[in-house]
Amino acid sequence: MDVKIEQTWKEQLEPEFSKPYFTQLTEAVRHEYSSTPCYPPARLIFNAFNLCPFNKVKVVIIGQDPYHEPGQAHGLSFSVQEGVPFPPSLQNIFREIGDDLNKPIPTSGNLERWAMQGVLLLNATLTVRAHQANSHAMLGWRDFTDAAISALAKGRNHIVYMLWGSYARGKAYMINRSENLVLESVHPSPLSANRGGWFGQHQFSRCNEYLKQCGQEPIDW
């Protein structure tokens, strides 16, 4: 199967493309997109990989599901397209960055600028039906995205993994903490963040300090 995905990721994930689950996943996604509105646009399903090659990854931020309202999702976790109002989780992310690094709230919620610096903004499920959160969660995407995390864990070191919320923290078992930095917290959504454990964690400055210690350029958050 010729999957249109960035070449270094294609090399890493090639074994997945011939597995039965991936064939079934591909057929299910094609059916969904042909029969009902789905997000992100089909050309942007692998956007996280295409903007952040395997050998350039410095930070991994794991989300669960794409945004499911029109014009929001474009293949990057927590990110929205230009001109779209910030969803509550993204508002809290920007607020914490502002407090942590003394930076102003940006005017755009498009996080491609992070991806281009080496931040893999990976949703566990890469597609969704319009207006129906987690509607594609059982199609098989999580096997595929787990394979991507596993490939990074086995093939790369000195990566910062930002695991927000119980779902993302459930991926920690794949990561060698002695060779990487794992930053865990509650999810930035208001339901979790406002109860404590999100604000004041200084994750973004801690991330940059670790990258500098490893001889890498920090992220311009």
Side-chain angles (χ1 to χ4, degrees):
M1 184 180 297
D2 185 22
V3 179
K4 305 299 184 185
I5 193 171
E6 192 275 333
Q7 186 59 36
T8 61
W9 278 110
K10 190 169 190 175
E11 293 167 3
Q12 291 294 324
L13 296 171
E14 191 77 45
E16 302 303 306
F17 303 147
S18 59
K19 292 181 179 179
Y21 89 84
F22 195 83
T23 301
Q24 295 166 6
L25 168 63
T26 301
E27 292 173 353
V29 170
R30 283 175 177 162
H31 173 73
E32 286 285 296
Y33 272 72
S34 66
S35 60
T36 188
C38 294
Y39 305 119
R43 72 184 187 281
L44 298 177
I45 289 174
F46 295 116
N47 205 22
F49 300 101
N50 294 339
L51 293 179
C52 189
F54 178 83
N55 57 354
K56 302 291 187 182
V57 176
K58 296 191 285 188
V59 181
V60 178
I61 299 178
I62 300 172
Q64 252 184 288
D65 204 38
Y67 297 122
H68 52 265
E69 297 302 325
Q72 292 181 311
H74 63 130
L76 305 176
S77 63
F78 296 100
S79 180
V80 291
Q81 300 191 59
E82 294 290 342
V84 176
F86 303 163
S89 292
L90 188 55
Q91 291 181 34
N92 283 340
I93 290 169
F94 286 154
R95 177 181 160 191
E96 175 61 11
I97 290 171
D99 291 345
D100 187 10
L101 299 173
N102 194 29
K103 292 176 67 74
I105 300 297
T107 57
S108 171
N110 187 328
L111 303 182
E112 288 182 5
R113 61 188 182 273
W114 294 2
M116 299 294 285
Q117 297 178 74
V119 182
L120 181 66
L121 294 159
L122 182 64
N123 277 316
T125 299
L126 298 185
T127 59
V128 68
R129 277 188 190 178
H131 318 302
Q132 297 182 45
N134 291 314
S135 49
H136 288 179
M138 304 308 292
L139 294 187
W141 278 125
R142 293 179 180 182
D143 291 334
F144 179 73
T145 53
D146 276 359
I149 298 167
S150 180
L152 282 172
K154 292 174 182 176
R156 294 283 316 284
N157 288 326
H158 307 310
I159 290 175
V160 181
Y161 292 85
M162 293 182 161
L163 306 182
W164 301 338
S166 58
Y167 181 83
R169 294 169 81 172
K171 308 297 182 183
Y173 75 93
M174 289 188 269
I175 303 161
N176 182 347
R177 292 175 183 263
S178 67
E179 299 290 344
N180 303 277
L181 178 63
V182 178
L183 298 175
E184 300 184 54
S185 74
V186 302
H187 196 275
S189 71
L191 288 174
S192 300
N194 293 343
R195 294 200 298 262
W198 169 255
F199 297 109
Q201 301 299 306
H202 303 288
Q203 293 187 63
F204 301 94
S205 58
R206 289 160 65 193
C207 168
N208 279 353
E209 187 59 36
Y210 178 82
L211 292 175
K212 287 188 287 187
Q213 289 172 3
C214 296
Q216 302 184 72
E217 284 292 318
I219 305 299
D220 180 3
W221 299 106

